[in-house]
Amino acid sequence: MNSWRSYLVLSAMTVVVLFSFRQPSTSEESLSYPSHWPEPHYDFARNPLTKHKIDLGRKLFYDPILSKDGSVTCANCHLSFTAFTHVDHSLSHGINDSIGNRNSMALMNLAWSSSFMWDGAIERLDAQALAPITHPAEMGETLENVLQKLKASAVYPELFAEAYGNAAFGTRELLDALAQFQLTLVSDNSNYDKAQRGEYDFTEQEAKGYRLFKIHCNSCHQEPLFTTGKFENNGLPLDSTLQDLGRYAITDRPADSLKFKTPTLRNVEFSKPYMHDGRFATLREVLDHYHSGIDRNATVSEKLKNGIALTGDQKTELIAFMLTLSDRSFLFNPDFGYPRN
Amino acid sequence: MKVWLLFLLLTLSFLAFSQQGTEENVRLHFTPMIGDAHLVLNQRMETSAGAEVSIQTLRFYLSNVRLFAKGNEVYTEPSSFHLLDASEPSSMILELPESEGLKYDRIEFTLGLDSVTNVSGVFEGDLDPTKGMYWTWQSGYIHFKLEGQFTDSEKADDSFSYHLGGYRSPHATCQSIGIELPEAVNSSPSVHLSLDGFLSRVMPSEQRLVMSPGAKARDWFETAALTFPVHE
């Protein structure tokens, strides 16, 4: 009986304390995207977006606190104005000017992605940030240190409490916030999208390019996301210095040798240089490769074995179409840039 | 901050009250052994084969814990994953609920984490990547970690590091293990894990650093699973 009474008293007190305790912001944000797009791969029902979490993730994305010497932010290699990739660098680099061995991927429409990195080494968006934070040639930091710095900072404990209602934040909240911001990076307002909505008419050249695209490119760079997200060997000769076998290093299956993730073509005008190692500087070089540069090695994609037959004019038409995938309202979206407030 | 402290105290006292009247839990001790002695980290110890070794790190995950009585599964632990770390004695004890009138006679669990847990994105508690059991550059947990060195060797560096795990086919590594429990299970029984077998394979081997998932990690993991007394 005694313990029953104390249970009641304690319950009542707990309720009082809970009400005086700061509640996390729960106003949910929903991701908007065209109705004809497939369902996102990311499970928003399980982990809904909220404004505070997105804002926190954005602040972290642009904060060099994540790197060991405070010199590098996520945006160093994923700049918003260039489709969140590392413009003009074939191989991305990190702290102490160390050079990585791949070209950073463009970040957009990540909610539809079921794997991350060129070789799909990472299967969840919220696990992805661990890789660049701890990689010695990228941010070179430990997770423990990052959390320690964030906890000691004058602003972050408050921001984490607002977002997660829990002053004792940790790995889970850090990774979740970064993922939440990146999930909002949706690009769906290019001239191509406007043409789909009947708000833009392709020029004759673009229309011809679109027809060629559907014949030669769409099986891998599939509309509307312009990628299947699958791994393919697109006939690039092996770089003898980097010796990068791509997906094979992850699966250990010989059939995956030299396969890399098919990147989206959205905003491809801005995401140069191209390929996992940034070996091509222009779209023309990319098309020249597909036309006559295919290395017919054991795992090369069937569809590319004989190259893509294109005349010079057709290459120009295809490029004209690819430029319709540029989405300036995405690239210059004030919600995605460096947070000034 | 003060509100927090108050909240914590209330929660603790609530827990204390709610525990009143219930029986003590069954406590299963996992005791790593080298030779005939209980493992002490960072101390020279002798294996049954006469090798002198010092272990710095021993950590492993147990998951999907189930208890049996007379051939029937009578308890399935919810959200079942545990990181056992030899440097934290309390982590080496698995607490299981007492069940009235039932004598558990067998425990089954998985050494490592299954593929579902691997990609669950929990990242909290024992699954927090700060525990040093996560491959950050290739999402996935290390199931079993053993680091140390042979101390009687003439080599300048006779150390070894095994980070074993992986959940991707064809090199997925998870091992179901079943252990018969002694009759007097309520007296906090101890499960002895002999590291001698693993170390006797390490000694002549050239593969002293296995730090990424793949064929080597799977192969060594299978040897690591043999440290458990009975396995299937």
Side-chain angles (χ1 to χ4, degrees):
Chain A
M1 271 302 122
N2 226 350
S3 81
W4 180 236
R5 197 181 305 146
S6 36
Y7 169 79
L8 278 178
V9 171
L10 281 170
S11 306
M13 287 173 77
T14 309
V15 167
V16 170
V17 170
L18 273 174
F19 271 93
S20 58
F21 186 66
R22 163 174 245 146
Q23 293 294 305
S25 153
T26 49
S27 61
E28 292 176 13
E29 304 264 313
S30 63
L31 201 65
S32 78
Y33 57 89
S35 56
H36 66 279
W37 280 23
E39 281 291 303
H41 176 79
Y42 193 87
D43 187 355
F44 288 102
R46 201 180 137 197
N47 191 21
L49 299 174
T50 73
K51 182 165 193 319
H52 280 113
K53 291 177 184 175
I54 295 166
D55 288 349
L56 171 60
R58 179 179 172 198
K59 187 171 173 60
L60 289 163
F61 190 89
Y62 285 98
D63 196 333
I65 197 170
L66 298 185
S67 65
K68 187 177 177 65
D69 60 2
S71 70
V72 173
T73 75
C74 302
N76 275 52
C77 294
H78 299 283
L79 186 66
S80 60
F81 310 123
T82 57
F84 289 95
T85 185
H86 204 174
V87 72
D88 271 355
H89 288 77
S90 51
L91 301 174
S92 300
H93 58 74
I95 60 165
N96 303 326
D97 290 333
S98 31
I99 309 281
N101 53 6
R102 289 192 186 141
N103 179 233
S104 61
M105 294 197 89
L107 307 182
M108 74 198 83
N109 304 337
L110 297 171
W112 286 265
S113 194
S114 57
S115 70
F116 303 89
M117 314 302 247
W118 282 105
D119 54 13
I122 292 172
E123 303 194 357
R124 296 179 58 91
L125 182 57
D126 44 13
Q128 194 281 336
L130 286 169
I133 290 172
T134 58
H135 194 290
E138 295 184 46
M139 292 171 142
E141 187 51 292
T142 67
L143 198 50
E144 292 87 335
N145 271 344
V146 171
L147 289 170
Q148 212 171 13
K149 285 189 283 183
L150 292 172
K151 281 172 185 171
S153 101
V155 288
Y156 279 109
E158 176 84 12
L159 296 174
F160 273 96
E162 270 171 6
Y164 295 95
N166 180 358
F169 62 93
T171 311
R172 157 113 207 98
E173 291 75 21
L174 168 67
L175 297 177
D176 182 63
L178 281 164
Q180 290 238 339
F181 169 61
Q182 293 174 78
L183 287 165
T184 65
L185 306 177
V186 173
S187 175
D188 62 356
N189 199 31
S190 62
N191 281 349
Y192 159 83
D193 297 297
K194 288 174 187 163
Q196 302 295 310
R197 301 197 297 260
E199 298 164 13
Y200 175 80
D201 290 322
F202 282 134
T203 65
E204 194 186 328
Q205 198 181 36
E206 289 165 352
K208 282 182 180 168
Y210 187 25
R211 279 195 292 277
L212 288 166
F213 170 84
K214 284 199 271 200
I215 297 165
H216 296 298
C217 317
N218 194 44
S219 59
C220 294
H221 295 287
Q222 204 173 73
E223 296 173 82
L225 295 162
F226 290 88
T227 175
T228 54
K230 293 193 176 129
F231 302 90
E232 301 285 351
N233 174 352
N234 65 345
L236 296 171
L238 178 67
D239 180 312
S240 57
T241 312
L242 295 169
Q243 291 285 340
D244 190 345
L245 299 178
R247 184 75 176 151
Y248 175 66
I250 303 303
T251 64
D252 211 14
R253 278 188 244 263
D256 285 334
S257 180
L258 295 169
K259 288 188 180 173
F260 292 87
K261 191 170 175 175
T262 305
T264 179
L265 295 185
R266 286 181 171 274
N267 298 298
V268 73
E269 176 184 3
F270 296 94
S271 61
K272 60 182 167 285
Y274 305 110
M275 306 299 160
H276 64 276
D277 53 8
R279 66 176 72 185
F280 299 133
T282 64
L283 290 173
R284 178 66 69 160
E285 284 174 59
V286 173
L287 291 182
D288 288 345
H289 161 72
Y290 285 126
H291 176 259
S292 52
I294 299 290
D295 181 23
R296 289 178 188 77
N297 53 52
T299 57
V300 74
S301 162
E302 273 302 317
K303 293 158 235 160
L304 291 174
K305 270 215 161 112
N306 299 313
I308 300 177
L310 292 170
T311 66
D313 281 352
Q314 287 175 323
K315 286 179 193 169
T316 307
E317 286 155 6
L318 258 180
I319 290 171
F321 169 69
M322 285 194 270
L323 299 191
T324 72
L325 299 174
S326 297
D327 178 356
R328 282 170 178 75
S329 63
F330 169 75
L331 300 169
F332 302 103
N333 187 333
D335 290 341
F336 298 159
Y338 181 83
R340 295 166 209 282
N341 42 37
Chain B
M1 246 15 212
K2 272 181 196 159
V3 172
W4 252 107
L5 203 63
L6 182 62
F7 183 63
L8 185 73
L9 280 171
L10 281 172
T11 313
L12 284 176
S13 46
F14 169 72
L15 282 175
F17 273 101
S18 63
Q19 293 274 314
Q20 268 185 1
T22 62
E23 298 289 320
E24 275 252 314
N25 286 346
V26 176
R27 295 157 65 86
L28 196 61
H29 294 250
F30 286 85
T31 312
M33 306 287 290
I34 291 196
D36 294 329
H38 292 185
L39 169 70
V40 182
L41 291 179
N42 302 309
Q43 183 171 304
R44 291 178 178 213
M45 303 188 75
E46 199 176 318
T47 71
S48 53
E52 205 179 79
V53 70
S54 167
I55 303 293
Q56 274 109 51
T57 311
L58 171 64
R59 275 186 223 137
F60 52 90
Y61 279 108
L62 298 186
S63 60
N64 300 322
V65 175
R66 286 150 293 145
L67 290 169
F68 293 79
K70 298 196 170 107
N72 297 316
E73 184 170 325
V74 291
Y75 174 72
T76 312
E77 190 181 44
S79 318
S80 180
F81 36 79
H82 303 269
L83 177 59
L84 282 74
D85 182 344
S87 71
E88 287 181 42
S90 63
S91 76
M92 300 297 285
I93 302 167
L94 208 55
E95 290 218 30
L96 304 163
E98 174 76 32
S99 105
E100 258 175 74
L102 264 182
K103 281 263 182 271
Y104 303 132
D105 50 25
R106 180 177 169 82
I107 180 170
E108 291 187 6
F109 52 81
T110 303
L111 176 60
L113 300 169
D114 61 27
S115 56
V116 177
T117 310
N118 248 292
V119 296
S120 66
V122 173
F123 299 135
E124 287 177 312
D126 280 353
L127 298 181
D128 192 325
T130 58
K131 303 276 183 191
M133 295 292 276
Y134 192 81
W135 281 297
T136 55
W137 46 272
Q138 180 171 345
S139 36
Y141 286 91
I142 297 165
H143 295 160
F144 183 97
K145 189 188 254 194
L146 182 73
E147 296 172 331
Q149 64 192 98
F150 293 105
T151 46
D152 55 351
S153 152
E154 283 162 18
K155 285 191 216 167
D157 178 16
D158 208 0
S159 61
F160 50 84
S161 258
Y162 294 90
H163 298 184
L164 309 177
Y167 65 96
R168 276 191 182 87
S169 162
H171 300 307
T173 55
C174 250
Q175 180 86 48
S176 279
I177 292 175
I179 299 175
E180 304 301 328
L181 296 171
E183 278 205 14
V185 67
N186 299 0
S187 63
S188 297
S190 195
V191 176
H192 285 194
L193 311 174
S194 174
L195 297 173
D196 287 5
F198 190 89
L199 293 170
S200 67
R201 181 177 170 198
V202 174
M203 228 175 347
S205 174
E206 294 294 316
Q207 286 177 0
R208 292 292 183 82
L209 287 176
V210 179
M211 322 254 310
S212 52
K216 273 195 286 182
R218 187 183 57 175
D219 181 38
W220 280 95
F221 179 81
E222 281 162 12
T223 305
L226 296 172
T227 54
F228 288 80
V230 186
H231 72 103
E232 304 174 327

